[in-house]
Amino acid sequence: MDLQDAAVTILALVVSTSLLFSPCLAAPDAAGTGITDPEHLQPAAARNISSLFAGVEERLQGGHLLNITPGLGPETADEPTSLVKNGTPLPVEDIPEPVPDYDDDELALLVEENSISLMLLSVQNTYALYAWDESPAKESAAALRDFATGLLKDSAALQVSDDREALKTSFTLALKSYEAAGATLQGNIPLNTTTVDAALEANRQGSKHLREAFEYLQHPALKVPAEIVTTNLSLPRLRDASGPGEELVLLQRYVYEDRGRANDISLMLESARGTRIYHTFDERGEAVLAEPGRMFLLVKVKVTNLGHKGESRTYKVRTPDPRDFTLQYRGTTYSPIKLALRTSLGEPYAAATLDRYEMKAGYIVFDVPEALTLDECFIQVNLGGATSPVWALGKTL
């Protein structure tokens, strides 16, 4: 059988199969009284198949292969179509998916408006830490912690796109580091090497992540908020002399009267020095070591009853209590610590009753930062009423 005969045979089989499975040519009418004319009601399937194979025989006889591209049925079409009355298909418009309402702009504004304030608070805290300035260090740490905590809550509530996720991550890490720096310095524990080092490292990490956040901003923050334009990074002194000669110096005595004005009393601070260790001379014989980053400041006090005056018969005086002495250094006030009766430091100072010309001397000891400088230290003594003389420990006669 040659190619032409084979094509005719295949075509005949296809046509026969289509006629076999096509609907019947005629159907009874509703009343079941007759059969419609088969010439006028040729099934649609038969007509479609006939049109599909039109010209196939001629192509095969000419030696051309069939190239029939299957079409997509309505159920497999990529895009649904709708028909107008004249049969022309109209494309159905694609409905875009809703875009999430991201808070990208709010996040950028949050970073831009608060980064400078964060950085300045961190610098202020770091500066006070390097100087071991306890009061400013704790105050700036508290402000930094509260500010960072509030911003963390604001930032966590924002939903951002993938493009802003890196900015949010860096800003969040910076805030957590600043919050940790502030929390490290809270409480009544004096500054020591452990807390200072931890706070300095947390500040460093916070500044590092904040710089990373800057890099993700299209418009870097350049405007300094008005409330921090006048921020003072200098280390304040608690008191300054209001006039010449107000402060006393070491070895300079201060003379005052007792409460009955019957006797004169001389009060003097003789010396000041620091040490990191001393020993007790009791049954234990322990060595007392200062905490890392701290030391003991020893101030020698000497009180003398200069004698009776006036008509009163009171000859005895009471010396100031150790609790009446306070050390002031860079905005922080220190009180003396309690010492054992016998130590390697010598006799501790204590309140005493002195008869005429008697004298009482001893050391009062303060637990202070090791980096403390005597030039910025002042000892103030509360003698009752408005009498409170002050000695500058960095000066001497």
Side-chain angles (χ1 to χ4, degrees), residues 10-279:
I10 294 172
L11 181 59
L13 289 173
V14 173
V15 174
S16 299
T17 304
S18 64
L19 293 177
L20 179 62
F21 290 98
S22 64
C24 60
L25 298 178
D29 58 9
T33 56
I35 299 176
T36 56
D37 187 358
E39 295 180 358
H40 298 286
L41 293 176
Q42 185 179 5
R47 293 197 302 271
N48 290 340
I49 291 175
S50 300
S51 61
L52 178 63
F53 289 99
V56 171
E57 181 177 355
E58 291 79 359
R59 290 175 57 107
L60 290 175
Q61 291 177 355
H64 300 287
L65 297 178
L66 294 175
N67 185 19
I68 301 176
T69 302
L72 294 176
E75 67 279 5
T76 60
D78 290 336
E79 296 183 0
T81 58
S82 59
L83 300 177
V84 296
K85 292 182 179 180
N86 60 4
T88 304
L90 293 178
V92 177
E93 295 182 0
D94 292 335
I95 301 176
E97 295 183 2
V99 179
D101 188 13
Y102 291 122
D103 301 318
D104 290 3
D105 293 340
E106 288 79 359
L107 175 64
L109 189 62
L110 190 70
V111 177
E112 291 175 359
E113 290 186 345
N114 297 284
S115 292
I116 294 179
S117 298
L118 278 169
M119 186 67 77
L120 284 179
L121 279 174
S122 177
V123 170
Q124 202 171 22
N125 183 240
T126 300
Y127 186 43
L129 288 172
Y130 271 117
W132 285 78
D133 197 352
E134 295 203 52
S135 182
K138 289 180 177 291
E139 290 175 2
S140 58
L144 182 62
R145 179 201 57 185
D146 295 343
F147 192 32
T149 300
L151 290 175
L152 271 174
K153 294 180 181 178
D154 296 339
S155 177
L158 300 179
Q159 182 182 4
V160 299
S161 65
D162 293 341
D163 294 339
R164 285 299 192 185
E165 194 62 41
L167 170 61
K168 185 176 181 180
T169 299
S170 296
F171 191 55
T172 300
L173 290 175
L175 294 176
K176 288 183 177 179
S177 296
Y178 287 141
E179 186 182 43
T184 301
L185 300 173
Q186 299 311 300
N188 297 323
I189 301 176
L191 293 183
N192 55 61
T193 301
T194 302
T195 57
V196 169
D197 288 347
L200 287 173
E201 176 61 19
N203 273 295
R204 189 186 71 81
Q205 289 291 333
S207 299
K208 169 189 171 184
H209 292 304
L210 193 59
R211 286 196 305 270
E212 293 173 354
F214 288 162
E215 296 176 358
Y216 295 111
L217 291 176
Q218 295 179 353
H219 304 289
L222 298 176
K223 183 179 179 181
V224 180
E227 64 271 16
I228 61 171
V229 170
T230 59
T231 299
N232 184 12
L233 297 179
S234 62
L235 298 176
R237 290 169 60 178
L238 180 63
R239 63 174 306 281
D240 291 315
S242 57
E246 180 183 352
E247 297 170 355
L248 302 168
V249 299
L250 295 179
L251 296 177
Q252 182 178 0
R253 72 179 185 177
Y254 179 78
V255 179
Y256 65 100
E257 297 175 334
D258 61 2
R259 293 183 179 180
R261 294 188 174 184
N263 301 276
D264 285 334
I265 305 171
S266 168
L267 175 61
M268 178 191 300
L269 302 187
E270 290 189 338
S271 63
R273 64 184 179 89
T275 183
R276 295 204 69 249
I277 187 173
Y278 67 89
H279 296 80

